[in-house]
Amino acid sequence: MSPLRKRILSGIVMLILALLGLFSGRESFELMLALCGAVLAWEWTRLVGEGRFGVSGLAIAFVVLAAGAIATDERFALALLVCLAGAVGVFLVAEGGKRGHPRWLAAGPVYIGVPIVVLIWLRGYDLAGLETILWLMACVWATDTGAFFAGRGIGGPKLAPALSPNKTWAGLIGGMICAALVAPVAGWLAPTGPSGWRLALAGAALAVVAQGGDLLESFVKRHFGVKDSGKLIPGHGGLFDRVDGLLTAAAAFGLFQWATGGAVLAWR
């Protein structure tokens, strides 16, 4: 099987699983996030921790799962505080255990935990929350698809060669255009969504944020001399390689919704 075909088939399977978890109800969505959080904790610890999991990895996984559990009880401020306090705790555990790169390990609870808490907050219990998550995921998927094919098909100047040798300006622009086109369509399909032009602008902005998340993970992998965060997903690598853009997009979108009180992009 060609790498591209393998990548497409894996993407379809992941899309089906994500939609099943989302449409099966809030509890199923939260369970899916918990499983993803545990896998991401494993991959992050091995990525920045010299291929080992150990006590530091267990600490990261515990913090992420604890923050998610607290968020399911709608104590979101406390859940975010747990992520921050957990980062300090992981750093102390890594330092005490003479583990290499304690600062990088300590970033795990924030990098993974905060987006998970935000996704639980955005999902809520009603139809508007479901549509919000669907729209967010559609924007990120559109960004990834547009960036991948525009980057491959057009190529051209590198976006940030010091961070990632493969990302191009064409890929960024392609991702922005694709997200700007998909965002209003996804919003139109959602009866409680806001107006199309706002969604188009928000989609393009989220594409930039998602690509920034992709660049960030590429920089981390390059810094530690690792090609992929794992081997879980054929054609993609690890789970981090697939959701790096979603993590940053979710955190940024959640911050925007909180700062504006949902007045600009309001699902009702």
Side-chain angles (χ1 to χ4, degrees):
M1 184 181 298
S2 68
L4 179 58
R5 182 177 297 180
K6 185 183 297 185
R7 184 182 180 90
I8 292 173
L9 290 176
S10 296
I12 293 173
V13 172
M14 287 186 293
L15 174 62
I16 293 172
L17 292 176
L19 292 177
L20 283 175
L22 185 56
F23 278 101
S24 297
R26 176 181 166 122
E27 291 77 12
S28 298
F29 180 64
E30 292 167 350
L31 177 59
M32 180 180 68
L33 289 179
L35 293 174
C36 289
V39 173
L40 291 174
W42 166 268
E43 291 184 353
W44 178 256
T45 308
R46 291 177 59 82
L47 174 61
V48 305
E50 301 168 338
R52 295 186 295 117
F53 188 64
V55 177
S56 298
L58 289 173
I60 295 174
F62 175 79
V63 172
V64 169
L65 294 176
I70 293 171
T72 62
D73 199 32
E74 298 193 340
R75 293 182 290 173
F76 301 110
L78 178 58
L80 293 175
L81 286 174
V82 167
C83 293
L84 295 176
V88 177
V90 169
F91 176 81
L92 295 175
V93 168
E95 277 278 285
K98 305 299 181 182
R99 186 74 181 263
H101 313 294
R103 292 183 178 85
W104 284 97
L105 289 166
V110 176
Y111 192 6
I112 303 167
V114 170
I116 287 178
V117 171
V118 170
L119 287 171
I120 294 173
W121 173 63
L122 290 172
R123 173 60 181 89
Y125 288 96
D126 55 9
L127 175 62
L130 173 64
E131 292 176 353
T132 302
I133 297 296
L134 279 173
W135 177 83
L136 175 63
M137 288 183 170
C139 287
V140 175
W141 291 333
T143 299
D144 290 343
T145 302
F148 178 78
F149 285 104
R152 276 201 165 193
I154 301 174
K158 301 298 182 181
L159 177 61
L163 301 179
S164 174
N166 298 321
K167 301 293 186 296
T168 63
W169 282 100
L172 173 62
I173 295 172
M176 291 176 65
I177 292 174
C178 195
L181 293 174
V182 168
V185 174
W188 177 76
L189 294 174
T192 66
S195 61
W197 68 268
R198 291 184 179 181
L199 292 178
L201 291 176
L206 277 178
V208 176
V209 176
Q211 287 288 284
D214 199 342
L215 280 173
L216 175 60
E217 200 227 356
S218 295
F219 165 72
V220 175
K221 291 189 295 186
R222 192 173 188 184
H223 179 77
F224 287 96
V226 177
K227 184 179 183 297
D228 295 314
S229 64
K231 299 179 180 179
L232 179 65
I233 306 171
H236 292 269
L239 184 60
F240 243 120
D241 299 315
R242 182 65 269 173
V243 302
D244 48 8
L246 179 60
L247 293 177
T248 52
F253 182 64
L255 176 61
F256 178 79
Q257 291 294 82
W258 172 79
T260 62
V264 179
L265 294 173
W267 275 261
R268 299 180 179 86

